């Protein structure tokens, strides 16, 4: 990436920042729109992730039970490593590890869904609070005006002439 492209990128970020600061109605409309979208995505993913969490926890419980059954009966603590046993002597540890991985994966997915839901709700609430007039009045036109300005800024940044390179 050349210095010309970096300069254009910085200029674009500067222009977008100025546009957001100069248009409070558009900024609040963008917050409401983005917050509503994130909340909807969080809810939809959350429903699927709740099912994934339930199934994942059931699978993890089954793997943990299988690991318990695979433990060697030599009286050593279940999580201790045994020298010379190879993979066969450590199957129970593999089952425990798989159980942790499945449960961890399901929990992380659910946490991401909850974070999307909370973040979207906070953005939505902040956007509604910033709206000067009744919250829903002019929301679509404010969002459209802001997006058209952003599009113009991006288009200008993309069509800006790059300085000619001198070779040699």
């Amino acid at each position: 990436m050349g210095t010309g492209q970096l300069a254009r990128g910085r200029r674009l970020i500067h222009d977008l920042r100025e546009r957001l600061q100069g248009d409070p109605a558009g900024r609040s409309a963008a917050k409401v729109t983005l917050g509503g979208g994130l909340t909807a995505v969080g809810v939809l993913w959350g429903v699927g992730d709740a099912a994934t969490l339930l199934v994942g926890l059931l699978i993890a419980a089954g793997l943990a039970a299988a690991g318990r059954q695979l433990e060697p009966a030599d009286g050593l603590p279940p999580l201790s490593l045994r020298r010379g046993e190879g993979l066969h002597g450590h199957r129970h540890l593999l089952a425990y590890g798989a159980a942790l991985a499945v449960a961890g994966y399901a929990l992380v997915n659910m946490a991401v869904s909850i974070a999307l839901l909370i973040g979207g709700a906070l953005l939505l609430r902040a956007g509604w609070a910033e709206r000067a007039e009744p919250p829903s009045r002019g929301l679509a036109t404010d969002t459209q005006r802001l997006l058209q300005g952003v599009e113009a800024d991006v288009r200008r940044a993309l069509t800006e002439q790059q300085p000619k390179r001198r070779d040699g």
Side-chain angles (χ1 to χ4, degrees):
M1 185 180 281
T3 56
Q5 290 175 333
L6 287 174
R8 287 187 345 192
R10 286 186 193 114
R11 174 73 182 160
L12 175 61
I13 290 171
H14 180 266
D15 290 347
L16 294 175
R17 199 174 281 150
E18 280 183 359
R19 180 166 305 283
L20 283 173
Q21 290 173 352
D23 187 4
R27 185 177 57 240
S28 68
K31 284 182 182 179
V32 169
T33 305
L34 184 60
L38 286 177
T39 302
V41 167
V43 166
L44 291 175
W45 278 359
V47 169
D49 286 341
T52 300
L53 180 65
L54 179 63
V55 170
L57 292 178
L58 289 173
I59 291 171
L63 285 168
R68 185 83 173 132
Q69 293 300 316
L70 292 172
E71 286 179 5
D74 58 5
L76 291 175
L79 297 180
S80 64
L81 293 175
R82 293 161 177 83
R83 291 187 155 267
E85 293 281 330
L87 187 60
H88 180 72
H90 295 100
R91 291 179 298 176
H92 64 292
L93 294 177
L94 292 173
Y96 290 147
L100 283 174
V102 168
Y105 174 78
L107 287 170
V108 166
N109 279 345
M110 194 65 195
V112 168
S113 296
I114 291 170
L116 281 171
L117 183 66
I118 290 171
L122 290 174
L123 261 177
L124 189 62
R125 186 173 135 202
W128 283 132
E130 289 179 12
R131 303 282 302 156
E133 28 187 71
S136 60
R137 174 181 273 163
L139 182 65
T141 55
D142 289 344
T143 304
Q144 184 179 13
R145 183 185 67 248
L146 180 69
L147 290 176
Q148 286 172 346
V150 166
E151 179 187 15
D153 289 345
V154 169
R155 197 175 298 251
R156 184 177 56 250
L158 291 176
T159 59
E160 228 175 48
Q161 291 294 322
Q162 289 185 350
K164 299 242 180 197
R165 292 179 61 186
R166 286 188 266 169
D167 293 329

